[in-house]
Amino acid sequence: MLIGCLVGAVFLALVLHHVDVRKVWHEMLRAHPGPLLLACLFLLLAYLVRAERWYLTLRAVNSSLARMGTTGIFMMGIAANCILPFRLGDFMRGTMFNRRLGVNASGALVTILVEKIIDLLTIILAGGIALMALPKKATAEFHGVGGGIVLMVGLGLVLSLFFMKYVRAIVIWMVEVILRAAPGPRARISALAGEAFDALDMVAHPKMLPVLLGWSVVSWGLEGCAFWEVARAMPVLADPSAAWVAMPVATLSTALPGTPGSVGTFDFFAARTMRLLGNSHNASTAYAFLVHATVLLVPVVLGGGFFIVDYLRKHVFHKNTSN
């Protein structure tokens, strides 16, 4: 936790270096409310799509699962990710709510691993496409090549999922050979590798992979629209279209150690991307803070609402019914 806070503080200091804080705050206040409301709506739809995707993944483990209960648990987990360190919200929805979902903890955690793999692939592909479609004029060739490389890496990862059974056999064989003299660690590592590949097998199923990728494309497309609407709300930005590149870059930055909500890390990479693509330092910083506040506000409000309803249902309505 201390390391994460230090990392976040360093990135936040870099964001604020040579920035006029008064101008940044003023530009944030000047943002038009209409596009901001649209951004919140797009984020709401994006999270509902991700909840549906998780429901479809869980149905592979429990076919009698209820959709509404899954949505509430998903939203509470996402909200917890924003206020707890180490993205503990994902761990919570895989362990604290697994009985309500009708699956064991390992099965629920495997579905969350599937979710993260699909998200990573989609964001990588989105970053490659954005870099190729929205190059900076002065360095168009660099951005085109960089975007092509990122896009090819993402497509390579997607294609590799169809050959997981061969990769699995190779990895297990390597574990057996390398740890032949240590049967205890060998068994544990083989078991962990087996669970990870079980998750990958679930993703790579011919009927499952296109569906999950489709829902992911829709979800992250909606989130990209939210980033774009926040940019549209700020008249100070010279190139609002840079938001389409800022979305995958800032999202990938949340994988770095940091504070709850990725304060500092998210803002640095979002601001840096906007600045590299033609916006001023102050405008890019104001955009980074405003889009980050929007991205945090929506899941916290949604998850908090589901938590209150869940609490009232269990401790008030259920109690009154019993009496």
Side-chain angles (χ1 to χ4, degrees), residues 140-255:
E141 184 177 353
F142 169 78
H143 281 274
V145 173
I149 292 172
V150 173
L151 183 60
M152 284 190 292
V153 170
L155 288 173
L157 289 172
V158 172
L159 291 174
S160 69
L161 289 174
F162 290 100
F163 302 95
M164 273 299 112
K165 64 178 181 179
Y166 303 107
V167 178
R168 178 182 194 143
I170 293 171
V171 170
I172 297 298
W173 175 79
M174 290 177 63
V175 170
E176 294 289 334
V177 171
I178 295 172
L179 298 177
R180 183 179 298 171
R186 182 181 64 193
R188 287 194 294 271
I189 293 174
S190 295
L192 289 173
E195 291 181 3
F197 280 108
D198 285 342
L200 291 172
D201 287 340
M202 187 185 299
V203 174
H205 193 280
K207 292 184 179 180
M208 182 68 75
L209 180 58
V211 174
L212 295 179
L213 280 174
W215 282 111
S216 297
V217 169
V218 172
S219 169
W220 289 104
L222 289 167
E223 184 140 343
C225 290
F227 274 68
W228 161 248
E229 289 296 338
V230 174
R232 272 202 333 117
M234 303 184 67
V236 69
L237 288 174
D239 186 6
S241 62
W244 290 100
V245 183
M247 187 276 288
V249 172
T251 302
L252 287 173
S253 74
T254 60

Side-chain angles (χ1 to χ4, degrees), residues 62 65-66 69 72-73 76 96-103 310 313-314:
N62 178 10
L65 194 64
I73 293 170
M76 287 188 280
M96 292 178 62
F97 297 100
N98 64 295
R99 290 185 179 179
R100 193 184 304 183
L101 294 169
V103 299
D310 187 68
R313 181 179 62 82
K314 290 197 308 186

Side-chain angles (χ1 to χ4, degrees), residues 1 4-9 81-82 84-86 256-265:
M1 185 65 184
C5 289
L6 289 174
V7 170
N81 276 342
C82 298
L84 296 177
F86 313 122
L256 295 171
T259 62
S262 299
V263 175
T265 49

